[in-house]
Amino acid sequence: MPDVIKSSRPNIVLFLTDQLRADSCGCFGQNPNITPALDSLAAAGVKFNHAIAAHGTSTAARGILQTGKLATDTGLFTLNGTLPQGVKTLAQYLSEAGYQTGYVGQWQLAGDKATRDAEGEINGATPVELSERGGFNGFWRAANNLSDSSDHEHGYLFDENGTKLEFNQGRSAALVDYAKEFLQGVGAQPFFLTVAPFDPMPQQLSQPITYLRQIYQDYIERMKASEITSEEENRAALEEVQQHEREFDPKLAAQAQAEAAEQAQKEREEAEAAFKNAAESEKAAKDAEEEGVNAVKELTVNENETNHWCYLCDPEVVANLPLRINLPLNTQLFRPGLIFEYYYYLGQCRVLDQALGALVEHLKAQGLYDNTVIIFATMTGTSLNSRNNDLNCMTEDALKLRTGTCHYDTVNVPLVVGGGAVKTCRPVDDVVSNASLTRTILSLAGAQIPDDIVGENLLDLAHDLSAPEAQGPQGKPAVTPNEMALPPHEGTITPGRVQQALVQISENRLGRALVTDEFTYAIVAPEVDGSTTLSADHYKDDFLYEAFSDPYQIYNKSVDELYTDIKLQLREQLLDLIEQTEHIRPSVANAERYYAPLDEDEESSAEADSNTPQA
């Protein structure tokens, strides 16, 4: 048992989210802070700053968690995949170790459990059978896909007997209530409880442009209100200063009287002009409204684009968010109009955090908190549809555009281990994979861990700052005049440890990626359908990004000759990981530089230039 945990057999609560970007959370950089409960948990526990999702598809990532095996071992690599039968699971290991288990929320490992109408539209969900629950044979309050049975206001899920349980409140709050039901029934036996909210997941709307218009108008109104308030505060402060000056300077007093008379005359003239031009003012207002509608069309989505994804959240929650939010730079570049939807995405993050806070408070009220480890983890992040529009994307399906990427948006995920049973407060800067969650949880429980469980015990990296293990390099000094220095780390980093994580990519492409503390390098299998094919013998370069000079991953260096040596070194590292995990060593070709096709006028001009005699 790691020395960062107070108890040898603690209770374990896994709060498992999906589609949650690390940069949406206050403790991982979001400003203003909208996740106070998570931030409090991180401040009193272990925060992993560089946690990487092992797979870009959430179903596959969930399969890794439940089995401790990568997608290439289980065959579970698509959104509608099923947990393989005959593979021992996390719940079974923990049950054998003497833990009682419970599962609440989104399961997503039983294939397609949706019921459909005559037109094929989803109109409900069916229970997950006992044989499909991955060893969670006791307390069960879940649905295979909560989007089929609920929205952010009401819905239903199923208990261990397949009985439908309806709720009429926020979805995340309802899940916490079901978790409380489990916690009220626990005895002296240690427990492992998974709470898996569906939020913050995108919801598809049939008429997105109408929804986005409303978001846009709400945003403009809030902007105007904020500007008016700020202007009034500035004016009041200025008048107070001027009044103070007039009391001591007669010249200023005389000047103030002249200005007041001039202002009065100006106001009379403005009132007369406003009265005379009432009709023109009304027309201008209509023009402004039409301009706003056109603006949201241009910045967000074409009116004919029916597969656009929007984010649902209670408008009252959104209204309480700060007006000035931190929209990531890369998202601003690739989808500038996202700011209107981003409010609603962050609103879901706030609701999620409130659910986490309610769960923590209940653990404390039940006297369970001091002997409980709470793991806040995320399967994958989301690019918010700002990535995967490149030549190697093998599908135009809107659903798959959100998956299968090597970019930080989807692979850099929040990971925090906290709770009363954790005695170490430490941020960790080591690059880690969330594939290590299975081994970490089994280690916490003192269970027997088979050799074929992937990953490492993450808490072995949570060193005390006074320990020799924590005295890793705090930054990287420049060695030559042409080399850039890396900034210092926030937390501990383990010296001698190879800082790398493997990402398997499917759905919109078949690919693999290596994420290190300095670079992200990805390869793709050319012309291969990643939704039907698990692996390949041949790949080519896809992406190469440098973390320090390009933190938002905007400039792809895979065809940059200055980075050839670095790319080849990273390629060998990646191939070594593929060989270790998939037992094959594929070939990788260099990416070809892409040139946009010429239009007819450009082709004619280019042909004429080629026929011109050279001097």
Side-chain angles (χ1 to χ4, degrees), residues 20-30 49 51 381 408-409 412-414:
L20 178 61
R21 299 163 61 105
D23 58 18
S24 301
C25 307
C27 56
F28 290 98
Q30 177 59 234
N49 290 325
Y408 287 148
D409 308 28
N412 184 205
V413 292

Side-chain angles (χ1 to χ4, degrees), residues 232-422:
E232 290 176 349
E233 291 175 351
N234 292 338
R235 185 184 302 113
L238 179 60
E239 289 177 353
E240 183 178 352
V241 172
Q242 291 175 340
Q243 180 63 30
H244 182 73
E245 291 177 343
R246 293 188 192 105
E247 293 177 0
F248 299 95
D249 191 334
K251 292 182 179 180
L252 288 178
Q255 181 180 350
Q257 291 178 354
E259 290 176 353
E262 182 180 351
Q263 180 64 25
Q265 177 63 25
K266 182 178 180 181
E267 290 176 356
R268 286 193 294 271
E269 292 175 356
E270 289 178 350
E272 293 174 359
F275 179 77
K276 292 179 180 179
N277 298 322
E280 294 181 6
S281 297
E282 183 178 355
K283 182 178 182 300
K286 292 181 179 180
D287 291 343
E289 181 179 356
E290 184 177 353
E291 183 181 351
V293 172
N294 292 332
V296 71
K297 287 183 180 180
E298 295 175 0
L299 290 176
T300 54
V301 57
N302 185 281
E303 191 154 6
N304 297 321
E305 186 181 347
T306 58
N307 285 327
H308 188 76
W309 289 82
C310 304
Y311 295 87
L312 291 178
C313 187
D314 189 335
E316 292 184 5
V317 175
V318 178
N320 291 324
L321 292 178
L323 185 61
R324 303 294 182 182
I325 60 176
N326 179 24
L327 182 64
L329 176 62
N330 52 355
T331 306
Q332 294 182 46
L333 291 174
F334 296 120
R335 284 198 62 209
L338 182 67
I339 188 170
F340 312 124
E341 297 169 67
Y342 194 59
Y343 269 104
Y344 280 68
Y345 178 78
L346 291 184
Q348 287 193 68
C349 296
R350 169 62 68 85
V351 170
L352 190 74
D353 187 76
Q354 291 171 343
L356 174 65
L359 181 60
V360 170
E361 291 305 313
H362 186 76
L363 286 167
K364 292 178 179 178
Q366 292 290 107
L368 299 170
Y369 181 79
D370 289 342
N371 192 41
T372 299
V373 174
I374 302 172
I375 302 175
F376 184 96
T378 299
M379 290 293 87
T380 65
T382 177
S383 67
L384 301 174
N385 276 7
S386 64
R387 298 285 188 171
N388 287 344
N389 293 317
D390 56 279
L391 293 175
N392 291 325
C393 183
M394 298 302 296
T395 179
E396 296 180 356
D397 188 325
L399 180 65
K400 294 176 183 176
L401 283 175
R402 297 184 293 108
T403 64
T405 172
C406 68
H407 300 92
Y408 287 148
D409 308 28
T410 53
V411 301
N412 184 205
V413 292
L415 177 57
V416 171
V417 180
V422 178

Side-chain angles (χ1 to χ4, degrees), residues 205-223:
L205 302 180
S206 59
Q207 294 181 332
I209 191 66
T210 303
Y211 179 72
L212 292 176
R213 280 190 190 129
Q214 186 59 50
I215 296 176
Y216 176 80
Q217 291 168 0
D218 292 345
Y219 174 79
I220 293 301
E221 288 176 3
R222 295 181 66 200
M223 285 287 292

Side-chain angles (χ1 to χ4, degrees), residues 277-596:
N277 298 322
E280 294 181 6
S281 297
E282 183 178 355
K283 182 178 182 300
K286 292 181 179 180
D287 291 343
E289 181 179 356
E290 184 177 353
E291 183 181 351
V293 172
N294 292 332
V296 71
K297 287 183 180 180
E298 295 175 0
L299 290 176
T300 54
V301 57
N302 185 281
E303 191 154 6
N304 297 321
E305 186 181 347
T306 58
N307 285 327
H308 188 76
W309 289 82
C310 304
Y311 295 87
L312 291 178
C313 187
D314 189 335
E316 292 184 5
V317 175
V318 178
N320 291 324
L321 292 178
L323 185 61
R324 303 294 182 182
I325 60 176
N326 179 24
L327 182 64
L329 176 62
N330 52 355
T331 306
Q332 294 182 46
L333 291 174
F334 296 120
R335 284 198 62 209
L338 182 67
I339 188 170
F340 312 124
E341 297 169 67
Y342 194 59
Y343 269 104
Y344 280 68
Y345 178 78
L346 291 184
Q348 287 193 68
C349 296
R350 169 62 68 85
V351 170
L352 190 74
D353 187 76
Q354 291 171 343
L356 174 65
L359 181 60
V360 170
E361 291 305 313
H362 186 76
L363 286 167
K364 292 178 179 178
Q366 292 290 107
L368 299 170
Y369 181 79
D370 289 342
N371 192 41
T372 299
V373 174
I374 302 172
I375 302 175
F376 184 96
T378 299
M379 290 293 87
T380 65
T382 177
S383 67
L384 301 174
N385 276 7
S386 64
R387 298 285 188 171
N388 287 344
N389 293 317
D390 56 279
L391 293 175
N392 291 325
C393 183
M394 298 302 296
T395 179
E396 296 180 356
D397 188 325
L399 180 65
K400 294 176 183 176
L401 283 175
R402 297 184 293 108
T403 64
T405 172
C406 68
H407 300 92
Y408 287 148
D409 308 28
T410 53
V411 301
N412 184 205
V413 292
L415 177 57
V416 171
V417 180
V422 178
K423 66 179 182 180
T424 296
C425 307
R426 195 72 61 226
V428 174
D429 275 335
D430 288 291
V431 177
V432 302
S433 171
N434 66 0
S436 295
L437 282 170
T438 313
R439 181 176 289 273
T440 302
I441 292 170
L442 294 178
S443 298
L444 281 169
Q448 293 293 324
I449 306 175
D451 294 337
D452 60 354
I453 295 292
V454 298
E456 59 191 324
N457 180 7
L458 295 175
L459 294 180
D460 286 340
L461 304 176
H463 307 297
D464 189 278
L465 282 176
S466 61
E469 295 87 353
Q471 304 306 311
Q474 296 294 298
K476 177 185 174 184
V479 178
T480 67
N482 294 326
E483 185 178 10
M484 287 201 248
L486 292 180
H489 298 281
E490 175 194 356
T492 63
I493 187 168
T494 306
R497 181 179 179 273
V498 179
Q499 302 296 332
Q500 63 181 22
L502 171 68
V503 182
Q504 293 184 335
I505 301 171
S506 61
E507 292 291 353
N508 79 78
R509 75 191 71 208
L510 172 60
R512 302 289 184 264
L514 173 74
V515 180
T516 76
D517 54 342
E518 298 183 61
F519 297 97
T520 295
Y521 170 66
I523 57 177
V524 60
E527 305 299 325
V528 174
D529 186 349
S531 65
T532 60
T533 307
L534 186 61
S535 62
D537 295 323
H538 177 69
Y539 294 84
K540 68 176 182 178
D541 299 327
D542 199 3
F543 296 103
L544 173 61
Y545 297 106
E546 184 176 39
F548 180 54
S549 64
D550 184 20
Y552 293 101
Q553 297 186 324
I554 297 170
Y555 305 104
N556 185 1
K557 304 289 189 181
S558 62
V559 294
D560 190 330
E561 294 181 358
L562 294 176
Y563 285 79
T564 298
D565 292 342
I566 293 173
K567 180 180 70 175
L568 294 178
Q569 179 181 346
L570 294 170
R571 182 185 293 175
E572 289 303 310
Q573 287 181 244
L574 178 55
L575 289 175
D576 287 344
L577 287 176
I578 294 174
E579 188 172 15
Q580 293 170 17
T581 55
E582 303 180 34
H583 311 295
I584 60 171
R585 194 176 185 90
S587 62
V588 181
N590 291 325
E592 63 276 8
R593 187 177 294 276
Y594 171 70
Y595 296 95

Side-chain angles (χ1 to χ4, degrees), residues 103-176:
Y103 196 96
V104 177
Q106 170 92 345
W107 178 240
Q108 205 177 355
L109 291 171
D112 188 359
K113 291 290 180 180
T115 59
R116 291 174 167 80
D117 56 24
E119 287 73 32
E121 296 295 326
I122 295 174
N123 60 10
T126 57
V128 176
E129 301 297 330
L130 180 61
S131 62
E132 300 172 321
R133 298 178 195 166
F136 286 96
N137 299 330
F139 189 91
W140 178 268
R141 302 288 185 272
N144 189 58
N145 195 336
L146 281 169
S147 68
D148 298 340
S149 64
S150 66
D151 56 30
H152 69 293
E153 294 179 338
H154 52 78
Y156 62 90
L157 40 68
F158 304 94
D159 67 9
E160 56 270 8
N161 300 314
T163 303
K164 180 189 291 187
L165 303 176
E166 297 185 357
F167 57 86
N168 291 293
Q169 59 176 320
R171 183 164 46 203
S172 295
L175 296 185
V176 171

